[in-house]
Amino acid sequence: MPFALHKGSIRLAGLYLAIIMSISIFFSVTIYSLSINELGRGLRGPRSVIVRPVGPGFSEEIKNDILRERSVLYTEAKERVLARLIVINIFILIGGGALSYYLAVRTLKPIEEAHEAQNRFTADASHELRTPITAMLTENEVTLMDPKLSLQDAKRQLASNIEELQRLSALSDGLMRIAGLENRTLQKMDVSLQDIIDNAIHSIQTVASAKFIDIDKHPKKSNVTVHGDSFSLQEVFTILLDNAVKYSNKNTKISVNIQKHQNEVTVDVVDRGMGIPAKDVPYIFDRFYRADSSRTHQSVQGHGLGLSIAKDIITKHGGTISVKSTPKKGSVFSVRLPLVKD
Ligand code: ADP
């Protein structure tokens, strides 16, 4: 546990304990004064109470003895009540202390987890930013120091810089999107899933055509309405289709299958690409995670943010996203969304 959070837990535990102890002391004082009152009435009643039943024949000495005895009993009982209340309060202090600390740690646990996730995210993001910046810096310095630098070399260097800058720009877009998803609520309304998927296919058509990849949709026309933010949902299908294109070879096919069930709709994005090794499957929806196979593919660019953004969006729509994949055969990404009741 980080030091600040440990300090926070102790402070919160102190606060809980102060509340428990104030209640306990309040009740102890009340119990004590009530008991003393009752004892007083029983053991230190007015003199007449003792004197009257004993009658005038009773010697003054005996009367005084009884009164003294009662006074001693009263003092002893008072001390016993006080001692018991003190013992009970010590137990409450020890038990309450342990309970308060346990409750404080539990209260702060989600905050600690969010804090750790934030730290991890910042570290990963800085790493992703630093790598291309360092590479660009070194390349530029080496190029500048070359006394025989030709115009062609300079142009090559500029082209390489532009490529890196495009990657950085894509990364900053992804980071901004994540921040936006965390801080903004989605604008949900009843939207046609058909339109959303058609727009996503349209937006990816140029990259797909460049690799001679066909995108099929089944059925061609469907009448499915979901309650959601159309911009974000379109982004999800664009991410899935963009990945399907990125991780497929030329001249292959991608299919989008829409299946309407009673309460939900399933959209499968099927590709015949490189697939995902089983060891990577559990992590591909994590931020910044990229399977080794795609890292080593120089032509396939990315920062491992797309699927985590897609998952965030689908989760915020009450749906799920999952994958089934066979290396070298292809992948099926399935999105399930609740249907709007007619
Ligand atoms: P990026 O594609 O930018 O690396 P994503 O979050 O979209 O990031 O995907 C994470 C990883 O999941 C990718 O790096 C890749 O290894 C794997 N992946 C995603 N989609 C596919 C796909 N259709 N086929 C094969 N691998 C995929």
Side-chain angles (χ1 to χ4, degrees), residues 243 246-247 271 275-276 284 289-291 294 302-304 306-307 331:
N243 279 349
K246 270 197 315 193
Y247 300 108
D271 69 57
I276 306 162
I284 57 166
Y289 190 85
R290 304 196 75 205
S294 42
H303 294 281
L307 287 181
S331 312

Side-chain angles (χ1 to χ4, degrees), residues 84-108:
R84 283 200 185 145
L85 284 174
I86 289 173
V87 170
I88 290 172
N89 272 285
I90 290 172
F91 273 117
I92 291 177
L93 182 72
I94 296 168
L99 182 72
S100 301
Y101 187 71
Y102 169 75
L103 288 178
V105 170
R106 271 193 68 153
T107 313
L108 293 181

Side-chain angles (χ1 to χ4, degrees), residues 264-333:
E264 60 182 22
V265 57
T266 315
V267 184
D268 289 342
V269 177
V270 187
D271 69 57
R272 283 91 181 159
M274 63 163 77
I276 306 162
K279 70 170 176 58
D280 293 313
V281 169
Y283 308 107
I284 57 166
F285 293 98
D286 292 352
R287 284 174 188 169
F288 296 109
Y289 190 85
R290 304 196 75 205
D292 287 342
S293 45
S294 42
R295 277 183 196 282
T296 46
H297 259 252
Q298 286 301 310
S299 56
V300 186
Q301 295 185 359
H303 294 281
L305 290 179
L307 287 181
S308 74
I309 293 174
K311 189 176 174 184
D312 269 4
I313 294 172
I314 294 299
T315 309
K316 287 202 162 98
H317 281 83
T320 59
I321 182 167
S322 58
V323 63
K324 283 204 180 91
S325 187
T326 316
K328 298 202 176 82
K329 287 236 163 74
S331 312
V332 181
F333 280 86

Side-chain angles (χ1 to χ4, degrees), residues 36 48 70 169 174 186 200 217 286 290 316 319 342:
I36 296 308
S48 56
R70 295 184 83 178
S169 161
L186 299 172
K217 192 183 75 180
D286 292 352
R290 304 196 75 205
K316 287 202 162 98
D342 297 320

Side-chain angles (χ1 to χ4, degrees), residues 21-31:
M21 287 320 292
S22 337
I23 296 172
S24 170
I25 289 169
F26 170 77
F27 278 110
S28 301
V29 170
T30 313
I31 289 169

